[in-house]
Amino acid sequence: MVAIWALAAETEEEARRLAAPAKMVNHYFVRGELIPVPSTADAVAWLARNETDEPPTLPAGRRRRMLRGTPQAVRDGIAAAAADYGADEVMLVNIMSDQPARRRGYALIADAFGVASAGVDA
């Protein structure tokens, strides 16, 4: 089994917006500060004030299994990770305050794999 942080949305731009809370939480986490998961709007505003051209705060090894994008792009990344690790099972997680968008993202990923997403309107 391999665990992957994955977030899918209809567009790359929307996935980037929805990933803002995770970026903010991770920024503080690597500095030893735990914060509640912010709203997407608060995190987008925080990123606008704080994002620079500096390298990401997470080391490359910790970013390699963080997937964000369109359903097909996330699906391809999940398939590649499973192949890289020889995994026959994958667990998906993410950090989002927008629960409907979280459920929608998981449904989009399930649909990209041709799997029915029980109880979620895709």
Side-chain angles (χ1 to χ4, degrees):
M1 177 188 285
V2 63
I4 301 169
W5 186 95
L7 188 155
E10 283 84 359
T11 65
E12 173 63 35
E13 181 179 326
E14 178 65 0
R16 187 177 313 111
R17 187 184 76 76
L18 291 170
K23 286 184 83 171
M24 185 175 172
V25 167
N26 283 324
H27 171 87
Y28 284 97
F29 180 75
V30 297
R31 287 165 171 68
E33 298 177 52
L34 298 178
I35 64 169
V37 178
S39 70
T40 302
D42 288 347
V44 167
W46 179 86
L47 283 172
R49 292 189 309 271
N50 293 288
E51 202 161 43
T52 67
D53 291 333
E54 295 176 27
T57 55
L58 291 176
R62 294 206 35 214
R63 288 190 315 269
R64 70 180 177 186
R65 294 300 176 221
M66 295 177 78
L67 305 172
R68 175 200 77 209
T70 63
Q72 187 61 44
V74 172
R75 181 203 168 299
D76 293 348
I78 291 168
D84 288 350
Y85 287 101
D88 59 359
E89 191 173 345
V90 177
M91 180 172 54
L92 303 180
V93 298
N94 65 40
I95 298 172
M96 293 176 68
S97 56
D98 184 337
Q99 294 306 309
R102 173 184 275 189
R103 289 189 301 275
R104 174 76 174 137
Y106 287 139
L108 289 169
I109 295 168
D111 187 52
F113 276 98
V115 176
S117 51
V120 179
D121 293 328

mmCIF file of all heavy atoms in Angstrom, residues 63-80:
data_model
loop_
_atom_site.group_PDB
_atom_site.id
_atom_site.type_symbol
_atom_site.label_atom_id
_atom_site.label_comp_id
_atom_site.label_asym_id
_atom_site.label_seq_id
_atom_site.Cartn_x
_atom_site.Cartn_y
_atom_site.Cartn_z
ATOM 1 N N ARG A 63 7.548 16.121 -1.347
ATOM 2 C CA ARG A 63 6.582 16.607 -2.329
ATOM 3 C C ARG A 63 6.301 15.584 -3.413
ATOM 4 O O ARG A 63 5.344 15.715 -4.149
ATOM 5 C CB ARG A 63 7.099 17.884 -3.000
ATOM 6 C CG ARG A 63 7.096 19.095 -2.129
ATOM 7 C CD ARG A 63 7.382 20.348 -2.947
ATOM 8 N NE ARG A 63 8.464 20.217 -3.883
ATOM 9 C CZ ARG A 63 9.733 20.506 -3.635
ATOM 10 N NH1 ARG A 63 10.090 20.932 -2.458
ATOM 11 N NH2 ARG A 63 10.651 20.373 -4.563
ATOM 12 N N ARG A 64 7.101 14.563 -3.537
ATOM 13 C CA ARG A 64 6.996 13.710 -4.708
ATOM 14 C C ARG A 64 5.687 12.953 -4.822
ATOM 15 O O ARG A 64 5.330 12.517 -5.904
ATOM 16 C CB ARG A 64 8.166 12.755 -4.776
ATOM 17 C CG ARG A 64 8.133 11.688 -3.724
ATOM 18 C CD ARG A 64 9.316 10.791 -3.856
ATOM 19 N NE ARG A 64 9.252 9.832 -2.761
ATOM 20 C CZ ARG A 64 10.164 8.981 -2.497
ATOM 21 N NH1 ARG A 64 11.238 8.933 -3.243
ATOM 22 N NH2 ARG A 64 10.037 8.143 -1.517
ATOM 23 N N ARG A 65 4.969 12.761 -3.761
ATOM 24 C CA ARG A 65 3.691 12.068 -3.831
ATOM 25 C C ARG A 65 2.540 12.977 -3.429
ATOM 26 O O ARG A 65 1.570 12.549 -2.844
ATOM 27 C CB ARG A 65 3.714 10.802 -2.972
ATOM 28 C CG ARG A 65 4.661 9.756 -3.492
ATOM 29 C CD ARG A 65 4.276 9.312 -4.905
ATOM 30 N NE ARG A 65 5.272 8.378 -5.405
ATOM 31 C CZ ARG A 65 5.739 8.384 -6.633
ATOM 32 N NH1 ARG A 65 5.329 9.272 -7.497
ATOM 33 N NH2 ARG A 65 6.628 7.505 -7.016
ATOM 34 N N MET A 66 2.668 14.241 -3.758
ATOM 35 C CA MET A 66 1.588 15.199 -3.558
ATOM 36 C C MET A 66 1.055 15.536 -4.944
ATOM 37 O O MET A 66 1.740 16.192 -5.729
ATOM 38 C CB MET A 66 2.096 16.437 -2.828
ATOM 39 C CG MET A 66 2.561 16.140 -1.414
ATOM 40 S SD MET A 66 3.230 17.585 -0.592
ATOM 41 C CE MET A 66 1.716 18.423 -0.163
ATOM 42 N N LEU A 67 -0.131 15.060 -5.257
ATOM 43 C CA LEU A 67 -0.696 15.226 -6.586
ATOM 44 C C LEU A 67 -1.850 16.210 -6.561
ATOM 45 O O LEU A 67 -2.719 16.136 -5.690
ATOM 46 C CB LEU A 67 -1.207 13.876 -7.100
ATOM 47 C CG LEU A 67 -0.181 12.740 -7.110
ATOM 48 C CD1 LEU A 67 -0.861 11.426 -7.439
ATOM 49 C CD2 LEU A 67 0.930 13.044 -8.089
ATOM 50 N N ARG A 68 -1.855 17.099 -7.528
ATOM 51 C CA ARG A 68 -2.905 18.098 -7.626
ATOM 52 C C ARG A 68 -3.131 18.387 -9.102
ATOM 53 O O ARG A 68 -2.182 18.542 -9.861
ATOM 54 C CB ARG A 68 -2.447 19.383 -6.927
ATOM 55 C CG ARG A 68 -3.422 20.526 -7.078
ATOM 56 C CD ARG A 68 -2.755 21.859 -6.822
ATOM 57 N NE ARG A 68 -1.963 22.230 -7.982
ATOM 58 C CZ ARG A 68 -0.863 22.978 -7.946
ATOM 59 N NH1 ARG A 68 -0.397 23.420 -6.807
ATOM 60 N NH2 ARG A 68 -0.219 23.282 -9.048
ATOM 61 N N GLY A 69 -4.407 18.442 -9.503
ATOM 62 C CA GLY A 69 -4.679 18.802 -10.889
ATOM 63 C C GLY A 69 -5.997 18.261 -11.376
ATOM 64 O O GLY A 69 -6.911 18.002 -10.594
ATOM 65 N N THR A 70 -6.073 18.084 -12.672
ATOM 66 C CA THR A 70 -7.276 17.539 -13.293
ATOM 67 C C THR A 70 -7.399 16.061 -12.916
ATOM 68 O O THR A 70 -6.406 15.432 -12.531
ATOM 69 C CB THR A 70 -7.208 17.675 -14.814
ATOM 70 O OG1 THR A 70 -6.104 16.895 -15.288
ATOM 71 C CG2 THR A 70 -7.072 19.134 -15.250
ATOM 72 N N PRO A 71 -8.590 15.505 -13.034
ATOM 73 C CA PRO A 71 -8.748 14.089 -12.685
ATOM 74 C C PRO A 71 -7.779 13.167 -13.436
ATOM 75 O O PRO A 71 -7.200 12.253 -12.839
ATOM 76 C CB PRO A 71 -10.200 13.795 -13.063
ATOM 77 C CG PRO A 71 -10.888 15.108 -12.927
ATOM 78 C CD PRO A 71 -9.871 16.124 -13.371
ATOM 79 N N GLN A 72 -7.591 13.405 -14.724
ATOM 80 C CA GLN A 72 -6.691 12.543 -15.505
ATOM 81 C C GLN A 72 -5.245 12.684 -15.031
ATOM 82 O O GLN A 72 -4.527 11.698 -14.920
ATOM 83 C CB GLN A 72 -6.789 12.854 -16.998
ATOM 84 C CG GLN A 72 -6.012 11.887 -17.867
ATOM 85 C CD GLN A 72 -6.506 10.447 -17.747
ATOM 86 O OE1 GLN A 72 -7.705 10.191 -17.745
ATOM 87 N NE2 GLN A 72 -5.588 9.513 -17.628
ATOM 88 N N ALA A 73 -4.813 13.905 -14.748
ATOM 89 C CA ALA A 73 -3.436 14.112 -14.269
ATOM 90 C C ALA A 73 -3.221 13.424 -12.925
ATOM 91 O O ALA A 73 -2.180 12.786 -12.698
ATOM 92 C CB ALA A 73 -3.142 15.605 -14.164
ATOM 93 N N VAL A 74 -4.202 13.548 -12.021
ATOM 94 C CA VAL A 74 -4.087 12.899 -10.713
ATOM 95 C C VAL A 74 -4.114 11.384 -10.884
ATOM 96 O O VAL A 74 -3.337 10.663 -10.268
ATOM 97 C CB VAL A 74 -5.192 13.390 -9.762
ATOM 98 C CG1 VAL A 74 -5.202 12.589 -8.465
ATOM 99 C CG2 VAL A 74 -4.989 14.876 -9.454
ATOM 100 N N ARG A 75 -4.992 10.895 -11.754
ATOM 101 C CA ARG A 75 -5.055 9.454 -12.016
ATOM 102 C C ARG A 75 -3.703 8.938 -12.504
ATOM 103 O O ARG A 75 -3.211 7.910 -12.047
ATOM 104 C CB ARG A 75 -6.140 9.157 -13.057
ATOM 105 C CG ARG A 75 -6.303 7.684 -13.378
ATOM 106 C CD ARG A 75 -6.929 7.502 -14.763
ATOM 107 N NE ARG A 75 -6.884 6.187 -15.284
ATOM 108 C CZ ARG A 75 -5.799 5.464 -15.550
ATOM 109 N NH1 ARG A 75 -4.617 5.929 -15.302
ATOM 110 N NH2 ARG A 75 -5.873 4.254 -16.052
ATOM 111 N N ASP A 76 -3.106 9.649 -13.453
ATOM 112 C CA ASP A 76 -1.804 9.230 -13.977
ATOM 113 C C ASP A 76 -0.740 9.218 -12.881
ATOM 114 O O ASP A 76 0.095 8.318 -12.834
ATOM 115 C CB ASP A 76 -1.369 10.149 -15.122
ATOM 116 C CG ASP A 76 -2.247 10.010 -16.356
ATOM 117 O OD1 ASP A 76 -3.062 9.053 -16.436
ATOM 118 O OD2 ASP A 76 -2.142 10.876 -17.248
ATOM 119 N N GLY A 77 -0.774 10.214 -12.005
ATOM 120 C CA GLY A 77 0.188 10.264 -10.904
ATOM 121 C C GLY A 77 -0.009 9.129 -9.915
ATOM 122 O O GLY A 77 0.961 8.554 -9.408
ATOM 123 N N ILE A 78 -1.263 8.791 -9.634
ATOM 124 C CA ILE A 78 -1.546 7.681 -8.722
ATOM 125 C C ILE A 78 -1.062 6.370 -9.335
ATOM 126 O O ILE A 78 -0.411 5.556 -8.661
ATOM 127 C CB ILE A 78 -3.061 7.610 -8.413
ATOM 128 C CG1 ILE A 78 -3.471 8.816 -7.570
ATOM 129 C CG2 ILE A 78 -3.410 6.302 -7.709
ATOM 130 C CD1 ILE A 78 -4.981 8.994 -7.442
ATOM 131 N N ALA A 79 -1.353 6.176 -10.611
ATOM 132 C CA ALA A 79 -0.911 4.951 -11.291
ATOM 133 C C ALA A 79 0.613 4.845 -11.287
ATOM 134 O O ALA A 79 1.174 3.772 -11.053
ATOM 135 C CB ALA A 79 -1.459 4.908 -12.716
ATOM 136 N N ALA A 80 1.296 5.967 -11.518
ATOM 137 C CA ALA A 80 2.762 5.963 -11.514
ATOM 138 C C ALA A 80 3.310 5.642 -10.129
ATOM 139 O O ALA A 80 4.268 4.868 -9.991
ATOM 140 C CB ALA A 80 3.292 7.313 -11.998
#
